[in-house]
Amino acid sequence: MDQTSAALAALVAGDVDAMDVSAPPVITANANGHLDLVYVAAIMNHAQFSLVVSPNIKTASDLKGRVLATEQEFFPNDYGMKIALSKLGVKESDVQLRRIGGAPQEWAAMSAKQVEGGILTPPFAFIAEKAGFHTLVDTFDVPYQNVGIVMPRNKIDAHMAALVPTLLAIREAMQTYNQQPDAAMKVISDRTKETDPDILKRTYDFYKTQATWETSLQPTLPGIQGMIDFLAGATPSVKDTKPEQYVDLRALAQMPKG
């Protein structure tokens, strides 16, 4: 999140024109800084969180009293934990939450047997499963404004000539990913340094068939609303905002269909 905060600061200062980011920091930045940052396009519109647990936890009832890793309150993995426990009918008070960071930190604690489960995203969820852990519940069906292209609303028109071709290129990249698995897996390996072919294949399949790329580039208003409701506990001023306030589709309106 520190990198995200620095990137948002650069965006507000005008050092960069746009950035790809999920909804929580955008909504919070608008509320706290009285900014007008908006999504001009979406890249992913579903949550990617899984509650991955040790082998001896078989059912939701087995979670009672267990120590689980998550992120600090009102951060993305905290949202994932709340959704996962809700889907299982488990109260937060039924488990012991250790707020230690994002997926890399949670997996480190799980592998060291310091906790009995945590909220993981690919490829960490797949690495954990290969090590003997298993997914108790996932959130892939939950609308969630995952990463998308964000910029100040008042700068959209000035950058429209470059913005539309950029969004076309992003859409083409998504289509290429879906159509060329070998090339896509090579990029995943190069960027993550993961070399296990099974993990690479599962990661590729995940983004193609489960938490898929949003080739329409349309942001998800239900996903943004869900995050507004979540963040209202920390930032009450977001409670009465509407998801439409965080979206501007002028650039998408100028793109050819495809």
Side-chain angles (χ1 to χ4, degrees), residues 63-134:
L63 286 173
K64 189 174 180 62
R66 303 289 186 150
V67 181
L68 304 177
T70 187
E71 206 166 9
Q72 70 186 69
E73 284 192 295
F74 303 109
F75 277 51
N77 275 29
D78 177 46
Y79 176 76
M81 179 64 78
K82 284 178 167 57
I83 295 298
L85 293 178
S86 176
K87 291 182 76 171
L88 292 169
V90 175
K91 298 177 181 178
E92 286 188 55
S93 58
D94 290 335
V95 300
Q96 301 180 56
L97 295 180
R98 294 290 183 266
R99 300 186 182 280
I100 60 176
Q105 293 78 24
E106 292 179 40
W107 167 234
M110 291 167 62
S111 60
K113 300 190 181 339
Q114 296 171 347
V115 297
E116 297 175 275
I119 289 293
L120 301 182
T121 52
F124 295 102
F126 304 146
I127 295 170
E129 289 177 349
K130 196 157 190 177
F133 292 79
H134 69 104

Side-chain angles (χ1 to χ4, degrees), residues 8-249:
L8 277 170
L11 181 64
V12 172
D15 296 332
V16 297
D17 297 322
M19 65 179 290
D20 66 312
V21 66
S22 61
V26 175
I27 294 172
T28 302
N30 281 6
N32 292 340
H34 304 290
L35 306 176
D36 195 14
L37 304 178
V38 292
Y39 281 93
V40 297
I43 295 176
M44 292 179 179
N45 281 357
H46 287 85
Q48 302 176 11
F49 310 107
S50 297
L51 177 55
V52 184
V53 296
S54 58
N56 61 330
I57 300 175
K58 306 293 186 184
T59 66
S61 60
D62 292 336
L63 286 173
K64 189 174 180 62
R66 303 289 186 150
V67 181
L68 304 177
T70 187
E71 206 166 9
Q72 70 186 69
E73 284 192 295
F74 303 109
F75 277 51
N77 275 29
D78 177 46
Y79 176 76
M81 179 64 78
K82 284 178 167 57
I83 295 298
L85 293 178
S86 176
K87 291 182 76 171
L88 292 169
V90 175
K91 298 177 181 178
E92 286 188 55
S93 58
D94 290 335
V95 300
Q96 301 180 56
L97 295 180
R98 294 290 183 266
R99 300 186 182 280
I100 60 176
Q105 293 78 24
E106 292 179 40
W107 167 234
M110 291 167 62
S111 60
K113 300 190 181 339
Q114 296 171 347
V115 297
E116 297 175 275
I119 289 293
L120 301 182
T121 52
F124 295 102
F126 304 146
I127 295 170
E129 289 177 349
K130 196 157 190 177
F133 292 79
H134 69 104
T135 294
L136 195 60
V137 66
D138 66 56
T139 63
F140 307 155
D141 61 336
V142 177
Y144 174 72
Q145 188 53 71
N146 209 310
V147 288
I149 306 302
V150 171
M151 61 190 305
R153 191 190 305 271
N154 62 7
K155 294 187 177 180
I156 293 175
D157 286 337
H159 294 289
M160 190 67 76
L163 183 56
V164 171
T166 298
L167 297 183
L168 284 169
I170 290 172
R171 187 170 69 189
E172 183 179 350
M174 295 176 184
Q175 294 167 338
T176 299
Y177 179 100
N178 291 338
Q179 297 164 4
Q180 299 183 28
D182 291 342
M185 284 187 283
K186 184 179 186 306
V187 172
I188 295 171
S189 180
D190 290 344
R191 295 301 179 90
T192 66
K193 308 306 177 187
E194 179 61 61
T195 58
D196 185 313
D198 179 59
I199 299 297
L200 291 172
K201 182 63 165 58
R202 290 193 66 187
T203 302
Y204 171 80
D205 289 342
F206 175 79
Y207 289 112
K208 181 178 180 180
T209 63
Q210 290 181 287
T212 56
W213 304 107
E214 185 57 49
T215 54
S216 75
L217 301 181
Q218 294 283 335
T220 166
L221 296 182
I224 296 174
Q225 183 63 61
M227 190 50 55
I228 290 171
D229 296 340
F230 169 66
L231 293 173
T235 311
S237 59
V238 311
K239 183 178 181 180
D240 296 325
T241 63
K242 303 298 182 185
E244 291 84 358
Q245 294 175 224
Y246 303 98
V247 171
D248 192 308
L249 303 181

